[in-house]
Amino acid sequence: MEVVRLVECQLGPRSGQALATTLLQNQKISRLELDRNMIGPAGAVALFRSVAEHSSLVHIDLRRNGLGSDGGLALGRALAKNTHLQFLDVSWNAFGPSGAAAVMDALAHNRTLRVLHFDGNDLTPAGAAALGNGLARNVGLEEFTCGWNELGAAGGAAVGRALGENDDEGMRLRLLSLEGNVLGDVGVHAISEGLAVNTSIEQLSLCLLYTSPSPRDRG
């Protein structure tokens, strides 16, 4: 295993582009840890283009890098194509509704990702349909955290339907966290109905916190 660990090193977009070139040249890298940097949208687009083609990378941590909407769109394209990545943490990157929805759409096609941490990316109710479709068709995820995404009742309803629809397709999801999303009675009721027929979920968290966790608590 070859590990690249550059945590909180003030890396910017140019560093992201340089790392993208490195990934293309070194197909032995299996773990990339870049959390708490400033890769930004431009760096993310280049980096995820290389991730789509990489044959050994199984673990990526890109928390708090300001990847933005363009980064989310690029990640969606990469996930739809990549067949090796197993762990991905892109929490707190402000993907926005369109970028976040692109990642959710990609889950419908990706079969190798096992863990996805997606907290604090502004998915909002506008991305509820993409979230529901991604979970309903995904057969690889085992752990999914999607807290503080302002999902509301629409997001809860979409997740509830997905939990019921996907179970017959071989859903592997064991841990699901939707903390801080203000799902409301409608959203929680829909999830309860999904759980009534779902046989894969072992751990579920819907805790409602009125403020997002502090940077220290975000890991």
Side-chain angles (χ1 to χ4, degrees), residues 149-197:
N149 269 290
E150 304 177 40
L151 293 176
V159 171
R161 287 192 297 272
L163 291 178
E165 293 173 3
N166 194 349
D167 196 55
D168 291 337
E169 302 297 325
M171 176 178 265
R172 299 174 61 175
L173 193 62
R174 302 288 182 267
L175 184 152
L176 174 63
S177 174
L178 298 173
E179 295 183 356
N181 274 297
V182 196
L183 303 174
D185 289 341
V186 172
V188 172
H189 180 71
I191 290 175
S192 298
E193 290 187 328
L195 289 174
V197 296

Side-chain angles (χ1 to χ4, degrees), residues 13-44:
R14 293 180 65 180
S15 295
Q17 293 165 354
L19 284 168
T21 300
T22 299
L23 286 177
L24 289 178
Q25 295 173 343
N26 188 345
Q27 292 289 317
K28 293 183 179 180
I29 295 173
S30 60
R31 190 179 182 104
L32 190 61
E33 299 181 9
L34 302 174
D35 53 301
R36 287 167 288 176
N37 283 293
M38 298 172 285
I39 298 297

Side-chain angles (χ1 to χ4, degrees), residues 23-219:
L23 286 177
L24 289 178
Q25 295 173 343
N26 188 345
Q27 292 289 317
K28 293 183 179 180
I29 295 173
S30 60
R31 190 179 182 104
L32 190 61
E33 299 181 9
L34 302 174
D35 53 301
R36 287 167 288 176
N37 283 293
M38 298 172 285
I39 298 297
V45 170
L47 191 59
F48 288 137
R49 189 179 298 121
S50 295
V51 168
E53 305 292 341
H54 207 276
S55 60
S56 299
L57 196 60
V58 296
H59 181 113
I60 296 178
D61 187 343
L62 272 165
R63 288 170 288 168
R64 296 180 298 278
N65 265 280
L67 304 184
S69 179
D70 287 347
L73 293 171
L75 175 56
R77 292 191 292 270
L79 287 179
K81 188 173 183 179
N82 182 278
T83 58
H84 295 85
L85 192 63
Q86 298 177 21
F87 177 99
L88 177 63
D89 191 340
V90 286
S91 299
W92 307 101
N93 272 298
F95 286 136
S98 61
V103 179
M104 297 300 104
D105 281 333
L107 292 181
H109 307 285
N110 184 285
R111 294 181 174 272
T112 56
L113 194 64
R114 297 293 177 258
V115 177
L116 174 60
H117 295 310
F118 202 74
D119 300 317
N121 279 315
D122 305 317
L123 184 55
T124 75
L131 171 62
N133 181 60
L135 288 180
R137 297 177 60 186
N138 182 274
V139 294
L141 273 184
E142 298 174 1
E143 179 177 323
F144 179 46
T145 67
C146 194
W148 296 278
N149 269 290
E150 304 177 40
L151 293 176
V159 171
R161 287 192 297 272
L163 291 178
E165 293 173 3
N166 194 349
D167 196 55
D168 291 337
E169 302 297 325
M171 176 178 265
R172 299 174 61 175
L173 193 62
R174 302 288 182 267
L175 184 152
L176 174 63
S177 174
L178 298 173
E179 295 183 356
N181 274 297
V182 196
L183 303 174
D185 289 341
V186 172
V188 172
H189 180 71
I191 290 175
S192 298
E193 290 187 328
L195 289 174
V197 296
N198 182 279
T199 59
S200 70
I201 297 293
E202 297 175 355
Q203 184 175 342
L204 173 68
S205 179
L206 304 178
C207 297
L208 173 60
L209 301 179
Y210 288 97
T211 58
S212 62
S214 68
R216 181 180 297 274
D217 293 334
R218 293 173 190 173

